[in-house]
């Protein structure tokens, strides 16, 4: 069975037969004299390259920064309210601190993936601001709740 490269590409795109196309390409390369070990090494290298690909900056800024902040605050509100009614203000304060602290940790790890990556100064500013803002929100909320616990009888 002989097939042109353009025919293979058309069929692959039209039918979505990724496995079939890779198998056909592998068979064709083996028939052309390329060694099986060499093909396996290329496949392993391709997997390594895909695993090392950096996450998209826009996803970090919007999904982890903006949307993540809203979800963290909503989660802190739910956890704090639930714990306040179940165990009191001190438990609510600890719960809120844990939720917001977890968000800070996740945001830091995600932003750390971009360390050393070339980016526009405004993007770097927003990443830094999002991290500082998350810390400030956490400190203000937790200190406010602690003040209510310690100062209000």
């Amino acid at each position: 069975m002989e097939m042109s490269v353009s025919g293979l590409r058309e069929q692959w795109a039209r039918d979505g037969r990724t496995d079939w196309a890779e198998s056909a390409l592998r068979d064709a390369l083996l028939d052309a004299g390329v060694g099986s070990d060499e093909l396996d090494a290329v496949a392993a290298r391709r997997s390594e390259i895909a695993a090392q690909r950096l996450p998209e900056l826009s996803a970090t800024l919007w999904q982890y920064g903006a949307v993540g902040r809203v979800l963290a605050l909503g989660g802190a509100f739910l956890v704090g309210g639930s714990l306040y009614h179940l165990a009191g203000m001190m438990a609510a304060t600890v719960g809120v601190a844990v939720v917001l602290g977890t968000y800070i940790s996740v945001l830091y790890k995600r932003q750390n993936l971009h360390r050393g990556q070339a980016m526009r100064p405004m993007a770097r500013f927003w990443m830094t601001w999002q991290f500082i803002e998350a810390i400030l929100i956490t400190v203000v909320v937790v200190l406010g709740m602690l003040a209510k616990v310690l100062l209000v009888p």
Side-chain angles (χ1 to χ4, degrees), residues 61-103:
L61 289 171
W62 289 107
Q63 294 171 359
Y64 285 77
V67 175
R69 179 175 47 249
V70 170
L71 292 175
L73 289 172
F77 178 75
L78 289 174
V79 167
S82 298
L83 287 176
Y84 175 73
H85 290 294
L86 292 174
M89 190 63 167
M90 187 54 102
T93 304
V94 171
V96 166
V98 167
V99 169
L100 294 176
T102 301
Y103 169 64

Side-chain angles (χ1 to χ4, degrees), residues 54-57 111 113-120 124 127:
L54 292 173
E56 290 189 30
L57 184 61
Q111 287 183 348
L113 293 175
H114 295 285
R115 188 177 303 259
Q117 180 181 1
M119 67 179 79
R120 289 177 280 156
R124 187 165 307 282
M127 280 182 52

Side-chain angles (χ1 to χ4, degrees), residues 138-153:
T138 302
V139 168
V140 168
V141 169
V142 170
L143 287 179
M145 292 177 77
L146 280 176
K148 186 169 181 164
V149 169
L150 299 174
L151 300 177
V152 177

Side-chain angles (χ1 to χ4, degrees), residues 19-57:
D19 296 337
W20 173 86
E22 287 182 1
S23 175
L25 181 59
R26 182 178 179 86
D27 291 343
L29 288 171
L30 287 172
D31 290 344
V34 177
S36 179
D37 294 339
E38 187 177 349
L39 291 176
D40 292 339
V42 169
R45 180 70 182 133
R46 189 174 59 185
S47 299
E48 289 174 15
I49 291 170
Q52 293 173 355
R53 201 174 99 221
L54 292 173
E56 290 189 30
L57 184 61

